[in-house]
């Protein structure tokens, strides 16, 4: 690419600037040497050799400096040969046809040879220039492929085009009938003002080139290339319209990506709304129906109900209200996870203490459930939010009890391992299929068996979201033993192993 750029610079430099002194001296040297060789051959009475020497000089000048200089050299060689070297000397007179034919042959040969040599040289330089331009466009295209946002197209284009003499670049994009300057996103700009506006750098001496962009849906805006007078030649190293087409393609692609991203976000939002409505309609209906039935019975049959029956109905109302409160909390926790959880509120917490609080709640909710604890000695301090950690442990234990196969024992073990506090909850239920293991932490996921047992499908999703925020992990192992059982394993970094500067 660097070699191509140098060739381009040399070619355009030679086309735009006057003949350099070194080039002129070189051509004169070749011409003088050819003249001297021709004179020497003519003095030895070798006219054919003298003509060939002169033609060789003309060919070299044409191949070296192009068609124009080659023709000038041919005319000069013809004149000098006819006037000074061929008989009669110091005159153009010819007396016979035998003298006219060689003279015309030499003149025609000199001019045609110079033209062919110069055209060959110019064609080679044009091919080199075209190849270099194509390589440059390919380089710009490769760089623009990295852009995923419209603003990045402008940044990459400026970085890429600066070495070619572009001192400033403006891209104005048309959206919904309005023109916007990418660098000044937000308010639309006036098209005429954008076209006429120019910078006053370097005393106002500017060279400006504006090219129109055409996208998938028509007019996409325009690109303004700005050069200073000292660097305007550098701008001609590029095919600016071709560069504009590449910029239009990159911007069009980024806009399509934005539209696709918005469409996908809208689709996910609609799916989430549908899932929430479906979950709410299902999970609120059952407790509300139970509360309504119990409250209606108390009101209608208050005098005929025994104290035990009244107590049972009040207990039902209280239990269903607890379920509603937990479900509402799960929905709120889901919102917190989606919004992002900041670590600024984390502090050192003893997992043993949190586990004790959770177990007291679990025993109240599931008084007949057998639970066994195995707590190893060692460090159990972690950096987390106490309320969230309590919710994590409760959701996991509740999930094991509900889906663990009736009244089978649930084993809870706690230990320190490799810089982590490891909490493992194991049940003896039927286990989780491999197909379901990939989805159990997904929002609102419930397998066919879970639907029969109830649940919102949010418990494990929330548990994993909170654990991830603590810098830990939550994984499932199933089956555990003899093709049955499920183990939920939580790993949270110990506070002592947290890096310096981490919130504690």
């Amino acid at each position: 690419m660097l070699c191509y750029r140098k060739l381009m610079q040399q070619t355009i430099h030679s086309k735009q600037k006057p003949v350099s002194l070194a080039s002129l001296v070189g051509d004169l040297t070749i011409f003088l040497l050819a003249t001297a060789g021709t004179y020497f051959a003519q003095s030895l009475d070798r006219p054919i050799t003298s003509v060939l020497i002169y033609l060789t000089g003309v060919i070299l000048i044409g191949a070296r400096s192009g068609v124009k200089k080659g023709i000038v050299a041919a005319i000069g060689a013809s004149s000098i040969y006819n006037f000074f070297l061929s008989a009669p000397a110091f005159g153009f007179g010819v007396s016979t046809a035998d003298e006219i034919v060689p003279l015309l042959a030499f003149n025609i040969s000199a001019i045609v040879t110079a033209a062919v040599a110069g055209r060959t040289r110019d064609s080679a330089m044009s091919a080199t220039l075209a190849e270099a331009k194509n390589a440059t466009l390919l380089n710009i295209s490769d760089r623009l492929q990295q852009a995923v946002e419209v603003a990045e197209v402008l940044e990459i284009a400026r970085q890429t085009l600066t070495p070619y003499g572009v001192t400033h670049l403006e891209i104005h994009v048309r959206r919904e009938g309005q023109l916007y300057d990418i660098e000044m996103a937000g308010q639309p700009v006036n098209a005429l003002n954008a076209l006429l506006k120019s910078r006053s750098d370097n005393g106002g001496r500017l060279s400006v080139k504006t090219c129109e962009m055409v996208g998938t849906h028509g007019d996409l805006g325009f690109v303004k290339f700005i050069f200073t007078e000292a660097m305007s030649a550098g701008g001609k190293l590029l095919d600016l319209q071709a560069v504009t087409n590449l910029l239009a393609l990159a911007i069009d692609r980024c806009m399509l990506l934005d539209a696709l991203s918005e469409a996908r976000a809208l689709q996910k939002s609609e799916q989430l709304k549908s899932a929430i409505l479906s979950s709410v309609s299902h999970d609120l209906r059952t407790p509300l129906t139970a509360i309504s039935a119990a409250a209606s019975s108390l009101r209608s049959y208050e005098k005929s109900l025994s104290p035990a029956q009244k107590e049972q109905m009040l207990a039902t109302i209280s239990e269903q209200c607890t379920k509603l409160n937990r479900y509402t909390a799960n929905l709120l926790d889901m919102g917190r996870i989606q919004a992002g959880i900041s670590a600024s509120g984390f502090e050192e917490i003893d997992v043993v203490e949190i586990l004790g609080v959770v177990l007291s709640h679990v025993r109240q909710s599931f008084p007949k459930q057998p639970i066994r604890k195995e707590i190893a000695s060692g460090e159990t301090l972690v950096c987390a939010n106490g309320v969230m950690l309590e919710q994590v442990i409760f959701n996991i234990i509740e999930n094991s009890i509900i889906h663990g196969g009736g009244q089978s024992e649930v084993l809870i073990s706690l230990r320190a391992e490799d810089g982590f506090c490891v909490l493992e909850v194991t049940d003896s239920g039927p286990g989780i299929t491999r197909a379901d293991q990939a989805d159990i932490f997904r929002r609102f996921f419930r397998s066919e068996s879970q639907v029969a047992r109830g649940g919102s499908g949010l418990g494990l999703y929330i548990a994993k979201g909170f654990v991830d925020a603590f810098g830990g992990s939550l994984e499932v192992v199933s089956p555990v033993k003899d093709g049955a059982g499920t183990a939920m394993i939580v790993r949270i970094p110990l506070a002592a192993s947290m890096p310096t500067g981490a919130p504690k």
Side-chain angles (χ1 to χ4, degrees):
M1 185 59 65
L2 183 59
C3 294
Y4 286 149
R5 193 180 301 169
K6 288 182 178 178
L7 285 172
M8 292 168 66
Q9 292 172 342
Q10 292 173 359
T11 302
I12 294 177
H13 183 79
S14 65
K15 288 184 176 180
Q16 291 180 336
K17 293 189 176 181
V19 179
S20 68
L21 181 61
S23 176
L24 184 60
V25 170
D27 292 340
L28 286 175
T29 301
I30 294 173
F31 189 82
L32 292 175
L33 289 174
T35 302
T38 301
Y39 175 78
F40 181 72
Q42 192 75 7
S43 66
L44 296 177
D45 196 21
R46 294 185 179 273
I48 296 177
T49 302
S50 64
V51 169
L52 292 177
I53 291 174
Y54 238 156
L55 288 177
T56 302
V58 170
I59 291 172
L60 290 175
I61 293 173
R64 184 174 181 273
S65 301
V67 175
K68 292 181 180 180
K69 290 184 180 179
I71 292 177
V72 170
I75 294 173
S78 175
S79 300
I80 292 174
Y81 181 79
N82 293 334
F83 189 80
F84 292 103
L85 301 180
S86 63
F90 304 105
F92 290 105
V94 289
S95 57
T96 66
D98 291 338
E99 293 177 348
I100 293 176
V101 172
L103 180 61
L104 290 176
F106 176 80
N107 291 340
I108 294 172
S109 298
I111 293 175
V112 171
T113 302
V116 171
R119 186 175 295 276
T120 302
R121 181 260 187 191
D122 292 344
S123 298
M125 292 300 295
S126 297
T128 301
L129 179 60
E131 185 179 0
K133 284 186 175 182
N134 289 337
T136 300
L137 292 175
L138 181 60
N139 176 48
I140 296 173
S141 177
D142 289 341
R143 294 287 303 277
L144 290 175
Q145 290 296 322
Q146 303 172 11
V148 294
E149 296 181 359
V150 175
E152 293 178 0
V153 174
L154 176 62
E155 181 181 355
I156 292 174
R158 285 178 174 174
Q159 294 174 355
T160 307
L161 298 178
T162 297
Y164 295 94
V166 180
T167 60
H168 186 66
L169 182 73
E170 296 179 7
I171 301 179
H172 296 80
V173 177
R174 190 174 302 281
R175 291 181 175 177
E176 299 178 355
Q178 297 289 339
L179 193 66
Y180 295 88
D181 186 341
I182 291 180
E183 196 172 21
M184 303 169 61
Q187 295 297 325
V189 297
N190 182 275
L192 182 60
N193 291 340
L195 285 169
L196 297 178
K197 184 186 68 174
S198 63
R199 295 198 164 200
S200 58
D201 299 341
N202 299 306
R205 297 189 300 273
L206 296 171
S207 177
V208 181
K209 173 72 173 179
T210 302
C211 297
E212 182 184 5
M213 293 191 298
V214 179
T216 305
H217 303 291
D219 180 22
L220 191 60
F222 61 85
V223 181
K224 185 186 289 186
F225 300 90
I226 301 177
F227 312 88
T228 60
E229 285 186 354
M231 299 183 69
S232 59
K236 296 180 182 179
L237 296 174
L238 299 170
D239 184 343
L240 296 184
Q241 187 57 58
V243 173
T244 300
N245 293 339
L246 291 178
L247 293 175
L249 286 173
I251 292 173
D252 215 8
R253 175 175 55 81
C254 291
M255 293 175 68
L256 289 174
L257 287 176
D258 288 341
L260 179 61
S261 178
E262 290 177 1
R264 286 178 175 174
L266 181 61
Q267 182 181 12
K268 288 184 178 179
S269 177
E270 292 299 325
Q271 290 175 348
L272 177 60
K273 289 179 182 178
S274 298
I276 291 176
L277 290 175
S278 175
S279 178
V280 167
S281 63
H282 176 273
D283 293 297
L284 291 185
R285 186 185 300 115
T286 301
L288 287 176
T289 300
I291 291 172
S292 177
S296 298
S297 297
L298 285 172
R299 174 178 294 178
S300 301
Y301 305 104
E302 180 181 2
K303 296 181 179 179
S304 59
L305 293 174
S306 66
Q309 290 174 323
K310 292 180 181 179
E311 183 63 29
Q312 183 180 1
M313 291 183 180
L314 290 173
T316 299
I317 293 174
S318 178
E319 179 183 350
Q320 298 303 320
C321 286
T322 301
K323 287 184 178 180
L324 285 175
N325 182 60
R326 190 178 304 149
Y327 181 71
T328 304
N330 281 340
L331 290 176
L332 293 175
D333 288 338
M334 181 187 69
R336 296 173 67 182
I337 292 172
Q338 288 182 307
I341 300 172
S342 172
S344 59
F346 294 174
E347 57 184 353
E348 285 190 0
I349 296 174
D350 191 343
V351 179
V352 174
E353 294 182 4
I354 298 296
L355 179 59
V357 174
V358 171
L359 287 177
S360 66
H361 294 324
V362 170
R363 289 190 176 98
Q364 291 178 5
S365 301
F366 307 95
K368 297 181 180 180
Q369 176 64 46
I371 296 176
R372 181 162 59 93
K373 295 185 299 180
E374 293 182 356
I375 300 177
S377 59
E379 184 71 30
T380 56
L381 290 178
V382 298
C383 186
N385 178 286
V387 176
M388 294 182 186
L389 182 57
E390 182 179 332
Q391 189 68 40
V392 168
I393 299 174
F394 184 89
N395 286 2
I396 293 174
I397 296 176
E398 181 187 43
N399 185 81
S400 295
I401 293 173
I402 294 175
H403 307 290
Q407 300 297 319
S408 59
E409 182 181 71
V410 172
L411 172 62
I412 301 173
S413 65
L414 184 65
R415 62 185 184 276
E417 182 179 275
D418 298 330
F420 288 85
C421 179
V422 181
L423 175 69
E424 187 170 344
V425 180
T426 307
D427 62 56
S428 303
I432 303 174
T433 65
R434 289 190 178 276
D436 287 345
Q437 287 181 30
D439 296 319
I440 59 172
F441 299 116
R442 186 162 51 86
R443 190 173 44 203
F444 295 115
F445 174 78
R446 290 184 292 185
S447 65
E448 295 181 2
S449 61
Q450 287 177 318
V451 171
R453 298 189 185 101
S456 64
L458 288 174
L460 293 181
Y461 167 78
I462 292 170
K464 181 169 175 55
F466 285 170
V467 171
D468 288 344
F470 302 154
S473 64
L474 172 58
E475 61 179 311
V476 58
V477 177
S478 185
V480 177
K481 183 180 180 181
D482 298 331
T486 299
M488 293 287 177
I489 304 173
V490 178
R491 289 184 173 87
I492 302 176
L494 292 169
S497 65
M498 295 288 286
T500 304
K504 292 186 178 181

